[in-house]
Amino acid sequence: ENQSNVYYLQTPSRDAGLMSPYYEAFKAKGLEVMFMTHPADQIVMTHLDMYKKHKLVSCESSDPAEAEGKNQEDEQLENLMKKELTTEQGNQLVDYLQRTLQTRVQSVKVSTRLTSSPGIITDHEQASMQKFMKQHGILNQQGEQEATKYHLQVNGKHEIVRKLYTISCTQHDEKSQALGKVVAEQLLDNALISANLLEDPRSILARVTNLMEEALSTTSEPISIEKEEDKVLEPKAMNA
């Protein structure tokens, strides 16, 4: 009753919904969200608009701060989050991500709706609709399946995003630029996974392995341990 809209989120399960980056902003504002766990719910909700004078709104396409307005708690939380990209830094990061991900993204924006996730996909076709189009071979004019480009929003307060901005400034450091590209690609794929839009998760395995190797690059190798079979066994004294 205290909400302007009725919000819903398509999710495989309640637990997955509670961990969804699309839910976190609504949770922070204390807004109630309906979790739609049946595959058919997604199709049904696209044909519904109102319920008792309340508009039905998907969490994936709505920013609660814009829809419900900011309250005093929101402003206090923003004041506590001191580590955040400035507008100029955010614009520079957006340019960097658009260049780095130019074949995969239609737009990039620094978002204020996220609290703990580094990025999300917005304004996308529902996953079930995309799967339907692929299964039925809906093609573009060239006779090929059209590659989807996504709208990516990133969290300017998140450590990964802030440090990705730092990497974007090191244009003459080849190692940093290579790492930045890998992180940017993984940032996008993580957002696609959250939106249930990544078709083949196996495509990211090599990149994740490279990131783990990079994270462990400063960790020393284990000290060699003598094999048991190579040890000289001392004869045991026998009791008389």
Side-chain angles (χ1 to χ4, degrees):
E1 296 180 358
N2 297 325
Q3 300 179 190
S4 301
N5 304 311
V6 175
Y7 299 101
Y8 66 91
L9 177 63
Q10 181 71 26
T11 176
S13 66
R14 174 179 171 79
D15 289 340
L18 291 172
M19 294 186 294
S20 171
Y22 295 100
Y23 173 64
E24 62 187 40
F26 295 86
K27 179 181 177 181
K29 288 183 67 67
L31 297 173
E32 293 185 356
V33 174
M34 293 191 301
F35 291 153
M36 318 296 279
T37 58
H38 194 283
D41 291 338
Q42 191 166 304
I43 299 174
V44 172
M45 294 305 289
T46 58
H47 293 82
L48 298 177
D49 185 52
M50 302 289 293
Y51 175 75
K52 292 185 177 180
K53 299 183 179 179
H54 291 279
K55 188 174 182 181
L56 298 173
V57 179
S58 170
C59 290
E60 297 185 14
S61 60
S62 175
D63 183 347
E66 295 179 0
E68 301 288 338
K70 292 185 178 182
N71 54 34
Q72 187 175 359
E73 292 181 358
D74 295 330
E75 295 175 356
Q76 291 174 349
L77 180 61
E78 289 178 359
N79 291 333
L80 292 175
M81 299 289 289
K82 294 181 179 179
K83 292 183 178 180
E84 182 179 5
L85 296 180
T86 65
T87 301
E88 184 178 351
Q89 291 170 335
N91 291 337
Q92 182 172 334
L93 177 63
V94 165
D95 291 338
Y96 171 78
L97 289 173
Q98 286 179 329
R99 293 194 310 271
T100 305
L101 304 171
Q102 59 182 326
T103 61
R104 304 184 63 195
V105 297
Q106 185 170 335
S107 68
V108 181
K109 176 184 176 183
V110 177
S111 172
T112 58
R113 65 183 285 186
L114 295 169
T115 57
S116 58
S117 299
I120 56 172
I121 302 297
T122 62
D123 301 326
H124 58 276
E125 291 180 346
Q126 299 294 336
S128 60
M129 185 61 69
Q130 285 200 5
K131 292 176 182 177
F132 175 84
M133 293 175 66
K134 182 177 181 180
Q135 291 171 353
H136 290 78
I138 298 177
L139 308 175
N140 59 18
Q141 293 180 350
Q142 284 73 34
E144 300 176 351
Q145 192 163 18
E146 188 174 359
T148 303
K149 286 191 174 184
Y150 300 98
H151 299 276
L152 174 66
Q153 290 190 8
V154 296
N155 181 3
K157 301 181 183 71
H158 200 282
E159 182 179 5
I160 291 176
V161 176
R162 299 197 314 268
K163 292 186 176 181
L164 192 55
Y165 161 76
T166 302
I167 289 178
S168 72
C169 300
T170 58
Q171 298 181 0
H172 303 294
D173 187 339
E174 293 185 2
K175 184 176 180 180
S176 293
Q177 284 298 301
L179 176 61
K181 178 175 175 56
V182 171
V183 172
E185 293 278 1
Q186 192 60 47
L187 177 66
L188 175 60
D189 280 340
N190 286 359
L192 290 173
I193 291 172
S194 296
N196 195 26
L197 292 171
L198 189 66
E199 293 185 5
D200 186 4
R202 293 172 297 181
S203 63
I204 70 173
L205 290 179
R207 190 190 314 128
V208 171
T209 299
N210 290 337
L211 286 172
M212 290 191 292
E213 290 174 349
E214 180 67 25
L216 296 172
S217 61
T218 58
T219 303
S220 59
E221 293 284 349
I223 299 173
S224 298
I225 300 176
E226 189 177 12
K227 294 181 179 179
E228 286 291 335
E229 57 266 27
D230 294 335
K231 292 182 179 179
V232 177
L233 299 177
E234 296 290 339
K236 295 182 179 181
M238 299 182 65
N239 295 328

